[in-house]
Amino acid sequence: PMSSRFRPPQQSRSQDTLARILDAAERVMAEKSFSEATLAEIMNSAGVTVGAFYRRFPDKDALLHHLDDRFFNEMHQLADELLDPVRWEGKPPSAIIYKVAEQAVQLYRARRGLLRSLFLRARTDAVIQDTARRVNTHFIDRMKQALSTHRAEIRHPQPDRAIELGFMMLLGAVRELVLFGEVWQQNGIAGDDLDRELARAYLCYLGVPLTA
């Protein structure tokens, strides 16, 4: 289900303005964190006055919650499309895992600024924690459905647990290396083949052959 935290503006002009503000916020957050970004520079990028912002939002935090809500809806749709079991009929389980890893790395690199701010705020913000929990649960449920016809090929003694924990390890590594890579030596560990290597790790944990 889609999040019902907000009532989106009904008029197309208001919807367009909201989208411009959210897009501008993401552009600014590509260069600095949400806490560092000022409303003035975000609104300037959006071509909207600060006064117009306050007619739509009670405060700056509400802007981050709208960004979080939009991203949640995008991820919900991505999970449904990417992990539709029909899409993977006749394909080996490795093909699913390789594609999920590829999409995760691409997404985190493309939306790095937004995701850094969301994950940092999620440590203390119950609204964003709830969103992340629901996104993760939905992805894991869809992953289990996509892999359901391959359970006999998973040699881990607890397939469901391995699918879930493996997914957590995959995303945790992507988050750490792509979003917060400053704390790791830049020695090629997060190179162009990062998605393939993380997929290999996931598949080995499941006990599934690596051949795509």
Side-chain angles (χ1 to χ4, degrees):
M2 301 301 249
S3 172
S4 59
R5 272 186 273 153
F6 305 108
R7 293 190 184 92
Q10 297 303 310
Q11 297 179 349
S12 60
R13 181 178 172 186
S14 295
Q15 291 174 335
D16 290 345
T17 301
L18 176 60
R20 280 214 319 277
I21 291 173
L22 297 181
D23 290 344
E26 279 213 46
R27 285 195 299 272
V28 172
M29 288 161 62
E31 305 297 329
K32 57 180 66 176
S33 70
F34 181 75
S35 59
E36 294 170 334
T38 67
L39 278 179
E41 60 189 323
I42 293 173
M43 294 310 112
N44 183 60
S45 179
V48 175
T49 66
V50 173
F53 168 83
Y54 280 114
R55 286 196 291 274
R56 291 173 173 82
F57 301 92
D59 53 35
K60 186 184 172 189
D61 277 354
L63 174 57
L64 189 63
H65 288 162
H66 270 277
L67 285 162
D68 178 56
D69 197 61
R70 181 170 75 166
F71 187 73
F72 163 74
N73 289 334
E74 289 176 18
M75 291 305 97
H76 193 99
Q77 183 176 352
L78 176 63
D80 289 342
E81 294 173 356
L82 179 62
L83 294 169
D84 181 352
V86 175
R87 174 177 179 173
W88 299 106
E89 286 181 359
K91 303 285 181 62
S94 56
I96 301 172
I97 302 296
Y98 281 123
K99 190 63 177 179
V100 167
E102 176 189 286
Q103 288 281 300
V105 172
Q106 287 180 357
L107 177 71
Y108 275 53
R109 283 176 172 159
R111 310 289 285 278
R112 182 175 184 267
L114 172 66
L115 286 169
R116 274 174 65 96
S117 289
L118 289 178
F119 280 118
L120 287 170
R121 182 61 71 88
R123 307 299 181 192
T124 57
D125 188 311
V127 172
I128 296 176
Q129 285 174 12
D130 180 63
T131 300
R133 191 178 301 114
R134 284 184 286 150
V135 170
N136 291 336
T137 298
H138 187 61
F139 255 99
I140 289 166
D141 286 346
R142 297 296 283 177
M143 181 74 82
K144 289 176 180 176
Q145 290 171 22
L147 290 169
S148 62
T149 59
H150 300 287
R151 293 180 70 84
E153 298 166 71
I154 298 175
R155 293 196 292 271
H156 191 286
Q158 297 176 281
D160 281 342
R161 184 183 183 193
I163 291 169
E164 182 167 353
L165 186 54
F167 185 78
M168 291 170 62
M169 291 188 290
L170 168 66
L171 280 196
V174 174
R175 181 173 65 242
E176 188 67 15
L177 291 169
V178 175
L179 303 187
F180 304 108
E182 301 93 335
V183 300
W184 301 100
Q185 287 189 25
Q186 300 301 308
N187 56 2
I189 190 172
D192 292 340
D193 62 346
L194 176 63
D195 56 335
R196 300 285 296 181
E197 289 303 297
L198 293 179
R200 285 167 60 88
Y202 195 173
L203 289 163
C204 287
Y205 176 56
L206 293 175
V208 171
L210 301 179
T211 305

